[in-house]
Short mmCIF file of all heavy atoms in Angstrom, two decimals:
data_model
loop_
_atom_site.label_atom_id
_atom_site.label_comp_id
_atom_site.label_asym_id
_atom_site.label_seq_id
_atom_site.Cartn_x
_atom_site.Cartn_y
_atom_site.Cartn_z
N GLU A 377 18.48 20.34 -15.77
CA GLU A 377 17.95 19.00 -15.46
C GLU A 377 18.55 17.95 -16.39
O GLU A 377 18.90 16.84 -15.96
CB GLU A 377 16.43 19.01 -15.57
CG GLU A 377 15.80 17.68 -15.19
CD GLU A 377 14.29 17.76 -15.13
OE1 GLU A 377 13.75 18.88 -15.23
OE2 GLU A 377 13.65 16.71 -14.99
N GLU A 378 18.69 18.29 -17.68
CA GLU A 378 19.32 17.34 -18.61
C GLU A 378 20.77 17.10 -18.23
O GLU A 378 21.28 15.98 -18.37
CB GLU A 378 19.22 17.89 -20.03
CG GLU A 378 17.78 17.92 -20.57
CD GLU A 378 17.71 18.58 -21.93
OE1 GLU A 378 18.75 19.11 -22.38
OE2 GLU A 378 16.62 18.58 -22.53
N ALA A 379 21.45 18.16 -17.74
CA ALA A 379 22.83 17.98 -17.31
C ALA A 379 22.91 17.05 -16.10
O ALA A 379 23.82 16.21 -16.00
CB ALA A 379 23.44 19.34 -16.97
N VAL A 380 21.96 17.19 -15.20
CA VAL A 380 21.92 16.29 -14.04
C VAL A 380 21.69 14.85 -14.49
O VAL A 380 22.35 13.92 -14.01
CB VAL A 380 20.82 16.74 -13.05
CG1 VAL A 380 20.66 15.71 -11.94
CG2 VAL A 380 21.16 18.10 -12.47
N ALA A 381 20.76 14.66 -15.44
CA ALA A 381 20.51 13.31 -15.96
C ALA A 381 21.77 12.76 -16.62
O ALA A 381 22.09 11.57 -16.50
CB ALA A 381 19.35 13.35 -16.95
N ALA A 382 22.51 13.63 -17.32
CA ALA A 382 23.76 13.17 -17.94
C ALA A 382 24.78 12.77 -16.89
O ALA A 382 25.55 11.82 -17.08
CB ALA A 382 24.32 14.27 -18.84
N ARG A 383 24.80 13.52 -15.77
CA ARG A 383 25.71 13.14 -14.69
C ARG A 383 25.35 11.76 -14.14
O ARG A 383 26.24 10.98 -13.80
CB ARG A 383 25.62 14.17 -13.55
CG ARG A 383 26.04 15.56 -13.94
CD ARG A 383 27.53 15.75 -13.92
NE ARG A 383 28.07 15.68 -12.59
CZ ARG A 383 29.37 15.81 -12.33
NH1 ARG A 383 30.23 16.00 -13.33
NH2 ARG A 383 29.83 15.75 -11.09
N PHE A 384 24.07 11.46 -14.08
CA PHE A 384 23.65 10.13 -13.63
C PHE A 384 24.11 9.06 -14.62
O PHE A 384 24.59 8.01 -14.23
CB PHE A 384 22.13 10.07 -13.47
CG PHE A 384 21.65 10.57 -12.16
CD1 PHE A 384 21.47 11.93 -11.94
CD2 PHE A 384 21.39 9.70 -11.12
CE1 PHE A 384 21.02 12.40 -10.73
CE2 PHE A 384 20.94 10.16 -9.90
CZ PHE A 384 20.77 11.51 -9.70
N ARG A 385 23.96 9.38 -15.89
CA ARG A 385 24.36 8.39 -16.90
C ARG A 385 25.87 8.20 -16.94
O ARG A 385 26.36 7.17 -17.38
CB ARG A 385 23.86 8.83 -18.28
CG ARG A 385 22.35 8.74 -18.44
CD ARG A 385 21.94 8.91 -19.88
NE ARG A 385 22.24 10.26 -20.37
CZ ARG A 385 21.39 11.28 -20.29
NH1 ARG A 385 20.20 11.08 -19.75
NH2 ARG A 385 21.71 12.46 -20.76
N SER A 386 26.60 9.21 -16.49
CA SER A 386 28.06 9.11 -16.52
C SER A 386 28.59 8.14 -15.48
O SER A 386 29.71 7.65 -15.60
CB SER A 386 28.68 10.49 -16.30
OG SER A 386 28.42 10.96 -14.98
N VAL A 387 27.79 7.88 -14.42
CA VAL A 387 28.22 6.90 -13.42
C VAL A 387 28.25 5.52 -14.08
O VAL A 387 27.34 5.14 -14.80
CB VAL A 387 27.27 6.90 -12.21
CG1 VAL A 387 27.71 5.88 -11.19
CG2 VAL A 387 27.23 8.29 -11.61
N SER A 388 29.31 4.78 -13.84
CA SER A 388 29.53 3.52 -14.55
C SER A 388 28.39 2.55 -14.30
O SER A 388 28.02 2.28 -13.17
CB SER A 388 30.85 2.90 -14.11
OG SER A 388 31.02 1.65 -14.72
N TYR A 389 27.86 2.00 -15.40
CA TYR A 389 26.81 0.99 -15.31
C TYR A 389 27.36 -0.40 -15.63
O TYR A 389 26.62 -1.35 -15.75
CB TYR A 389 25.69 1.30 -16.31
CG TYR A 389 24.72 2.35 -15.83
CD1 TYR A 389 25.14 3.66 -15.65
CD2 TYR A 389 23.42 2.05 -15.53
CE1 TYR A 389 24.28 4.63 -15.20
CE2 TYR A 389 22.53 3.02 -15.09
CZ TYR A 389 22.97 4.32 -14.93
OH TYR A 389 22.09 5.28 -14.49
#
Side-chain angles (χ1 to χ4, degrees):
E377 183 173 352
E378 292 175 354
V380 173
R383 298 279 292 180
F384 275 83
R385 290 192 294 270
S386 66
V387 179
S388 176
Y389 280 66

